[in-house]
Amino acid sequence: MRGVIVDCGIYRDGRRTEGPADFSDALDEARASGDAFLWIGLHEPTEKEFGLVTSEFSLHPLAVEDALRAHQRPKLEIYDDSLFVVIKPVVYEQKSDTVSAGELMLFIGDSFVVTVRHGEGAPLAAVRRRLEAEPEVLRHGPTSVLYAVSDAVVDHYIEVAAELQIDLEELEAQVFAPTGTGDSSNTAASIYTFKRQVLEFRRATNPLSAPMARLASPGVPFVDSGSQPFFRDVNDHLTRAVEHVEGLDRLLSDILSAHLAQVGVRQNDDMRKISAWAAMAAVPTMVAGIYGMNFRHMPELDYVWTYPTVIALMGFAVFGLHRLFKRRGWL
C-alpha cells in the first residue's frame, strides 16, 4: 500500500498531529478523540489494494466500484456511512494546446476523508498544504477538505477556460485572415480538434453543477451545517466556468459555419473564373470550328484579308468578354 497511499494524516483542531503509521489505528484514534479526522489520499489503487480501505472505512460497494473503475461523471451520492463525490479536474497542456481530464473521488464519513485520484493531473498535495496553512478552515473537519478540493478544481476550470479563449482567438484570426490563404481542410480539422477539447471540458464542468448546488443547500449528511456559503461561492465560480465553456462552444460552431461559408464562396469564385475563361475560349473555338468544316462554297475565303479579319474579330471578341467579366468581378 505504500506506493498507493500518497499521504495519510490526522488533523485535530485544524492542525496536523502525529499518529499511528497504520491507517486503521489512526482512524480509531481520530474517532476516539471526537474532534479529529483522518485524511488518506490514494492514487489509482487496484481492487486488492483498496479492499483493506473498504473494510476499515465501511465504504459502500457501489461507490467503491465507481472509484476503482473511474470514467465516471461528476456526481454526489449519499450512502448510510459516507458521502461519495466525483469531480473531474481538467489540465491544459501548454505544449500541445490540449485539454485532458482526470478524476477525483472523495469519500466523506465519520471522522475520515478518503480521496482517490486517477490520472496525473490535479495532484492534491498543493490543496493539502494550503489547508494545513489555514487551520481556521481545517477545523471544520472533513467538510473543509471537500470544500478545498472543489474550490481548487473549479478555480482551475476558469484558468483553463482563459487559456482556451486565447487559443480560440488565434484560431478565429486564422479563419478570418484577409488573405484567405491556407489549406481549408487543415483549418476545418483544427476547428473540429478544438471542439473536441471543449467537449472534454464540458463533460467535466456541466454535470458538476447539480452536486455543487446540492452541497450549497442544507441537509446534506456528513457536511458541516455552516459550510453552505462556501459551497455557494464554489457554485458561483462553477457557473462562470460553465458559461465560459458554453460560449466557447457556440463561438466554435459559428467559426466553423463561417469557415464553411468562406470555402463555398471561394469555390463559387473559382467556378466563375473557370466559366469566364471557358466563355472566352468558346468564341475562337466556335469561329475556328465553322471554318474547319471545309465547305466548298464559302465566298469570304476568296478574299485576301479574310484570314487576318477573322483573327482580329476573334481577338476583339475575347478582349470584350474579358473586359465584361472583369467589370463584373468574375476575373
Side-chain angles (χ1 to χ4, degrees):
M1 292 288 291
R2 290 184 178 179
V4 177
I5 297 178
V6 179
D7 201 350
C8 179
I10 298 178
Y11 297 87
R12 182 179 291 106
D13 194 28
R15 300 188 182 278
R16 185 164 183 161
T17 60
E18 294 296 331
D22 184 81
F23 67 83
S24 300
D25 297 334
L27 178 61
D28 293 337
E29 181 178 318
R31 285 176 171 171
S33 65
D35 61 347
F37 72 94
L38 174 67
W39 180 4
I40 178 173
L42 307 175
H43 180 242
E44 297 183 354
T46 63
E47 184 176 356
K48 182 179 180 180
E49 293 167 337
F50 202 51
L52 182 59
V53 178
T54 302
S55 59
E56 289 294 333
F57 292 90
S58 301
L59 304 180
H60 197 278
L62 293 178
V64 171
E65 181 181 357
D66 290 343
L68 291 174
R69 289 186 176 181
H71 303 293
Q72 303 294 316
R73 287 168 55 89
K75 61 182 178 179
L76 183 150
E77 294 178 346
I78 300 174
Y79 297 99
D80 294 335
D81 298 321
S82 63
L83 184 72
F84 180 60
V85 181
V86 178
I87 302 176
K88 294 179 73 69
V90 171
V91 177
Y92 178 82
E93 299 291 343
Q94 292 282 354
K95 294 182 179 180
S96 58
D97 294 336
T98 57
V99 171
S100 60
E103 289 191 38
L104 282 175
M105 286 81 169
L106 295 95
F107 295 87
I108 311 295
D110 180 19
S111 301
F112 73 85
V113 179
V114 177
T115 56
V116 181
R117 180 167 60 91
H118 290 269
E120 297 301 325
L124 296 179
V127 178
R128 191 184 287 262
R129 287 195 299 269
R130 191 186 76 181
L131 269 178
E132 291 176 353
E134 300 176 351
E136 67 279 0
V137 177
L138 205 52
R139 287 192 184 98
H140 293 278
T143 303
S144 64
V145 178
L146 177 59
Y147 160 71
V149 171
S150 304
D151 186 54
V153 171
V154 172
D155 284 348
H156 194 61
Y157 285 164
I158 298 176
E159 297 175 6
V160 173
E163 294 287 349
L164 290 177
Q165 181 67 41
I166 295 174
D167 291 344
L168 179 64
E169 291 172 358
E170 294 176 355
L171 181 62
E172 189 176 18
Q174 175 185 346
V175 171
F176 294 103
T179 56
T181 59
D183 190 349
S184 61
S185 61
N186 288 341
T187 302
S190 300
I191 296 174
Y192 276 113
T193 301
F194 201 119
K195 202 168 181 63
R196 288 184 65 86
Q197 304 301 318
V198 174
L199 177 60
E200 184 75 13
F201 200 178
R202 287 183 63 185
R203 289 173 178 169
T205 57
N206 287 24
L208 188 59
S209 298
M212 284 297 109
R214 192 172 183 184
L215 289 170
S217 304
V220 180
F222 307 106
V223 176
D224 187 88
S225 58
S227 64
Q228 280 74 39
F230 298 95
F231 284 110
R232 278 199 296 270
D233 181 66
V234 175
N235 194 34
D236 289 341
H237 292 179
L238 178 61
T239 301
R240 286 173 50 196
V242 169
E243 290 175 350
H244 203 156
V245 174
E246 294 292 342
L248 289 174
D249 188 58
R250 287 194 297 269
L251 282 174
L252 274 173
S253 298
D254 293 341
I255 290 174
L256 179 60
S257 299
H259 172 67
L260 295 177
Q262 284 181 332
V263 172
V265 169
R266 284 196 291 266
Q267 289 177 342
N268 188 40
D269 289 341
D270 293 339
M271 289 301 299
R272 287 194 302 179
K273 291 178 181 179
I274 294 172
S275 299
W277 286 110
M280 287 187 290
V283 172
T285 302
M286 179 186 67
V287 175
I290 291 174
Y291 285 98
M293 291 186 291
N294 297 321
F295 288 122
R296 183 181 298 275
H297 300 289
M298 298 181 74
E300 66 273 17
L301 296 180
D302 296 330
Y303 297 103
V304 176
W305 296 102
T306 299
Y307 177 74
T309 303
V310 171
I311 296 297
L313 288 175
M314 288 191 293
F316 281 120
V318 171
F319 178 75
L321 288 173
H322 185 274
R323 291 290 302 274
L324 176 63
F325 292 141
K326 192 77 172 178
R327 189 180 304 114
R328 294 187 176 183
W330 284 38
L331 293 173

